C-alpha cells in the first residue's frame, strides 16, 4: 500500500513535469554574456520617445491562455500540497486535535539542519518551474525571475503557515508541528539565490542539487506519517561546482567542461522509529553538467536546467565517523 502511494505520488509529479515541459521556456540560467540591463530596459514613460502613429495600444504579445494555464497549474499544486499534508502532517486523530492557535517552534537542531538546506533548494526549484512557465507566456525575463521567486517563496511559506496551525496533543497541548522561523528564512534564501543568479551570472557556477531514493523504513511503512519530504534516510543534498569556470586558467584548460565536482550531505538515524544515534555523512563526488548536453532550443534549455538540480550517480568519497571510503556510485 505504501509503495502504491509512492508510485501515485511519482505519477502526479511526472504529470506536472510534462505540463511544464510542454510550455518550452527559454533558458533563464544561460551563462552567456548578458546584454547590460540599461540597454534593454523600457523607458518608464513612452512619451520620452517618439512612436509611429499606427501602434495599436491594445495589442499584446503576452500569451494569455498560456498564462492562465500556468496559474491553474500553480493553483493545482497548492491544492495537492494541502490535500497531501492534510492526510499526513496536519492530520488529526485520537491523540491530536486542532485548537485554532498559531504555534511558533524553534527547530534549529532538528535533523542536523539538512531540512534547512532542503528548504533553500526546494524554493529555488519551485521558482525555476514557475519562472519558466511565465516566460513561456511571453512575460519578459526579468519579471519572470521575480515572479518565479515570489511563487516559489509563496508556495513554501504556505506550508510553513499551515504548520503553525497544525494539531496539538490533546493532553500536553504540545503542537504536532509549528511555524519554524528557521525554515522560513531558508525559504527566503532559496528565493533570493534564484534572483541573485539572474543579476550575478557568476553564481551559476554554484548549483544546488539533490538525490533521493525512498528509505527502507518508508517503503515498509515504519516511518511516522509515511511522508517522503522528511524521509531524510533517503535524501542527500548537494552543492555542485563548475570547476571549468572556477579553476585558474592554466588548470581549467585541462578540466572537461561536462564534469563538475559536488559536495554532499546526508543524515541518518532521524525519526521516531530509530533507536540508533543520528549520524552525519559527507561526500565529495564527481557530477555531470547537463548544460553541456548538445541539445538546443527553448525546450531543451528548460530540460537541461531542470536536470541540473539532480545529482547524477558518479564515483566519489564518503566521510563519516567510520572514516573515509570510496564508492563507485554515489547517489
Amino acid at each position: 500500500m505504501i509503495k502504491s502511494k509512492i508510485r501515485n505520488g511519482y505519477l502526479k509529479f511526472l504529470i506536472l513535469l510534462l505540463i511544464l515541459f510542454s510550455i518550452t521556456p527559454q533558458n533563464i540560467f544561460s551563462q552567456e554574456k548578458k546584454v547590460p540591463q540599461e540597454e534593454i530596459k523600457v523607458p518608464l514613460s513612452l512619451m520620452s520617445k517618439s512612436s509611429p502613429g499606427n501602434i495599436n495600444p491594445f495589442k499584446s504579445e503576452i500569451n494569455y491562455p498560456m498564462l492562465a494555464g500556468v496559474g491553474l497549474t500553480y493553483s493545482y499544486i497548492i491544492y495537492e500540497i494541502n490535500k497531501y499534508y492534510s492526510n499526513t502532517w496536519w492530520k488529526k486523530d485520537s491523540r491530536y486535535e486542532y485548537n485554532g492557535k498559531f504555534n511558533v517552534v524553534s527547530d534549529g537542531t532538528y535533523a542536523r539542519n539538512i531540512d534547512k538546506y532542503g528548504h533553500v533548494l526546494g524554493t529555488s526549484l519551485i521558482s525555476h518551474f514557475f519562472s519558466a512557465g511565465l516566460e513561456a507566456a511571453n512575460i519578459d525575463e526579468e519579471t519572470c525571475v521575480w515572479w518565479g521567486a515570489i511563487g516559489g517563496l509563496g508556495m513554501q511559506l504556505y506550508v510553513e503557515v499551515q504548520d503553525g496551525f497544525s494539531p496539538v496533543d490533546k493532553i500536553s497541548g504540545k503542537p504536532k508541528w509549528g511555524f519554524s522561523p528557521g525554515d522560513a528564512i531558508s525559504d527566503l534564501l532559496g528565493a533570493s539565490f534564484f534572483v541573485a543568479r539572474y543579476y550575478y551570472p557568476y553564481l551559476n557556477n554554484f548549483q544546488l542539487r539533490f538525490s533521493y531514493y525512498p528509505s527502507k523504513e518508508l517503503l515498509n511503512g515504519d516511518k511516522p506519517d509515511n511522508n517522503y519530504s522528511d524521509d531524510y534516510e533517503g535524501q542527500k543534498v548537494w552543492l555542485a561546482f563548475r570547476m571549468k569556470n572556477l579553476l585558474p586558467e592554466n588548470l581549467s584548460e585541462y578540466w572537461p567542461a561536462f564534469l563538475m565536482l559536488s559536495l554532499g550531505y546526508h543524515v541518518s538515524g532521524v525519526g521516531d522509529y530509530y533507536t540508533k544515534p543520528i549520524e552525519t555523512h559527507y561526500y565529495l563526488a564527481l557530477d555531470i553538467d547537463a548544460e553541456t548536453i548538445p541539445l538546443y532550443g527553448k525546450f531543451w534549455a528548460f530540460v537541461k536546467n531542470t536536470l541540473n538540480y539532480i545529482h547524477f550517480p558518479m564515483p566519489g568519497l564518503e566521510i563519516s565517523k567510520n572514516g573515509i571510503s570510496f564508492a563507485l556510485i554515489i547517489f
Side-chain angles (χ1 to χ4, degrees), residues 223-235:
K223 192 179 188 307
D225 299 325
N226 293 315
N227 192 320
Y228 63 84
S229 62
D230 65 343
D231 180 27
Y232 300 115
E233 290 294 314
Q235 299 177 15

Side-chain angles (χ1 to χ4, degrees), residues 173-192:
K174 182 179 179 181
K176 190 175 184 180
W177 300 103
F179 178 85
S180 167
D183 288 354
I185 292 173
S186 299
D187 295 334
L188 180 60
L189 288 175
S192 300

